[in-house]
Amino acid sequence: MRLGLNIGFVYGGDDHLDHLRLVKEAEALGFAVTWAAEAYGSDAATLLSWIAAQTTTIDVGAAVFQIPARTPAMTAMTAATLDRLSNGRFRLGLGVSGPQVSEGWHGVRFSQPLLRTREYVDIVNAAMRRETVAYEGKYFTLPLPDGPGKALKLTVRPIRDHVPVYLAAVGPKNLELAGEIADGWLGILNDPGFLGEQLNHIKAGRAVRQQDLDGFDVVVTTPLMTGDDIQVAADPVRGYAALYIGGMGSREKNFYNALAVRMGYAEEAKEIQDLYLDKKHREAMAAVPFGFLDSISLLGSKERIADKLTAYAEAGATTVALTPFASTVEQRIADLHTAAEALELSGVGS
């Protein structure tokens, strides 16, 4: 199992410089990859390009490029360029986002996300193989049949014959799709005790292509907070958990809330969502059970973190992408060192 770093977004000020310090420290510690996200602020491609220019060995990954934000051809162009500029270090993570961002920000209807994702990945892979791209699907038709367009081929050559594709998947059907059409899965709110159930869906997708999980990258995104008091260490993670369970979607459609329900927190998930949507954010944070926070995070001492890393490895994780939650960049760097030492102590690193 390898460690990764999740740097999230750029908000403003000098936080991009803090991100770079973290990435360079992670690279020196031997981390496999750093992931950058996008929602409706900073985009992942620009941030990853900037980071790739200032690093040499750590992979740079999109977690994720939003499918409604770009045509598949544009994603192939960006992925090929990033792979070329990073000397073969780019990983392409994709996700459909959610109805509020897709329709409210990008103006793209959130309908049949599984079929849309399948067609999207088909086209991206064909373009990245530098085939002349012609495609007839429900959502994508290339070239358009009633105009002057013609089938084209990507002109930039990626470094590698195949740039790995990851899907951010939460629901069972999307997990199956990830197993079938992707090279890896980007998980979130991952409890080692629940990971086996999620991997069963991925295995079902792998079986469609007559493959097992060998070589498939299972990436669990995990908050990291060290400290002697694990209750105190968990507190900074409360806002993150409350946002996803309570506010990342509508009352009718929130994939993360549904995930918490499947994980055994049905009553708590409803309370968190009700409070969050009523704009009682502090109360929503307080309503997140410590047991849930502890289950999805790396909290406490080096020894406790080592035990949790062992649990992730035994459950089937191949990469643990750390999200440091300390308030200062110096403490976040120190926590990365603790996590690296914990991985060595656990004996499950590769």
Side-chain angles (χ1 to χ4, degrees):
M1 191 173 71
R2 303 288 302 277
L3 293 180
L5 171 66
N6 182 7
I7 57 173
F9 313 99
V10 170
Y11 291 103
D14 291 333
D15 61 342
H16 62 292
L17 300 178
D18 291 345
H19 289 333
L20 183 61
R21 285 184 64 188
L22 284 171
V23 173
K24 287 187 172 182
E25 200 69 32
E27 182 174 53
L29 290 168
F31 281 33
V33 59
T34 185
W35 300 95
E38 60 184 23
Y40 42 94
S42 61
D43 75 290
T46 306
L47 179 57
L48 291 173
S49 180
W50 182 70
I51 287 172
Q54 301 177 82
T55 54
T56 56
T57 59
I58 194 168
D59 281 10
V60 291
V64 294
F65 282 175
Q66 297 170 326
I67 285 176
R70 302 171 180 83
T71 66
M74 185 70 245
T75 289
M77 292 164 61
T78 304
T81 306
L82 277 167
D83 194 60
R84 168 61 56 179
L85 296 179
S86 67
N87 196 30
R89 291 185 286 136
F90 179 64
R91 305 187 191 187
L92 174 59
L94 296 170
V96 291
S97 189
Q100 290 180 317
V101 172
S102 181
E103 299 192 7
W105 186 246
H106 298 300
V108 175
R109 293 292 182 194
F110 192 82
S111 59
Q112 293 187 284
L114 295 177
L115 178 57
R116 184 186 295 273
T117 300
R118 183 184 294 276
E119 291 186 8
Y120 197 97
V121 172
D122 281 347
I123 297 169
V124 168
N125 281 334
M128 295 284 279
R129 291 192 298 265
R130 301 190 69 249
E131 298 174 2
T132 300
V133 179
Y135 194 86
E136 292 186 18
K138 179 173 181 179
Y139 289 99
F140 300 100
T141 300
L142 297 171
L144 293 176
D146 54 354
K150 64 178 183 178
L152 298 172
K153 181 169 69 173
L154 187 67
T155 59
V156 60
R157 293 179 180 271
I159 292 290
R160 292 164 295 174
D161 293 335
H162 177 71
V163 172
V165 173
Y166 292 70
L167 287 189
V170 178
K173 292 297 183 182
N174 212 0
L175 289 168
E176 290 183 24
L177 184 66
E180 181 184 348
I181 69 173
D183 305 293
W185 167 52
L186 297 169
I188 192 170
L189 305 181
N190 294 119
D191 175 354
F194 189 70
L195 190 58
E197 180 172 328
Q198 294 170 301
L199 291 184
N200 284 337
H201 295 296
I202 291 176
K203 288 175 183 177
R206 300 296 287 172
V208 172
R209 51 194 291 182
Q210 299 183 327
Q211 293 182 353
D212 56 22
L213 286 177
D214 187 37
F216 186 88
D217 195 9
V218 176
V219 182
V220 296
T221 302
T222 312
L224 170 67
M225 190 72 186
T226 64
D228 295 331
D229 187 328
I230 58 173
Q231 295 278 348
V232 172
D235 281 342
V237 186
R238 290 187 175 278
Y240 162 83
L243 169 63
Y244 276 89
I245 296 172
M248 199 67 78
S250 65
R251 195 180 302 276
E252 294 74 26
K253 185 168 287 189
N254 179 325
F255 304 120
Y256 309 99
N257 186 281
L259 172 60
V261 170
R262 292 196 299 276
M263 292 169 68
Y265 294 90
E267 292 183 7
E268 296 89 341
K270 183 180 185 306
E271 180 185 6
I272 294 164
Q273 185 178 63
D274 287 344
L275 289 168
Y276 204 97
L277 295 181
D278 286 342
K279 300 189 183 305
K280 299 177 180 178
H281 297 157
R282 290 186 181 275
E283 292 91 332
M285 291 165 58
V288 181
F290 169 76
F292 179 83
L293 296 170
D294 191 30
S295 73
I296 65 162
S297 307
L298 297 172
L299 304 174
S301 66
K302 175 176 68 176
E303 292 74 18
R304 196 172 192 273
I305 290 171
D307 289 342
K308 188 65 168 289
L309 289 172
T310 299
Y312 273 123
E314 291 176 348
T318 55
T319 302
V320 176
L322 307 174
T323 305
F325 270 76
S327 58
T328 67
V329 67
E330 288 78 15
Q331 186 57 51
R332 293 197 292 273
I333 288 173
D335 287 352
L336 292 184
H337 279 263
T338 299
E341 293 168 4
L343 182 64
E344 183 175 0
L345 177 64
S346 71
V348 299
S350 60

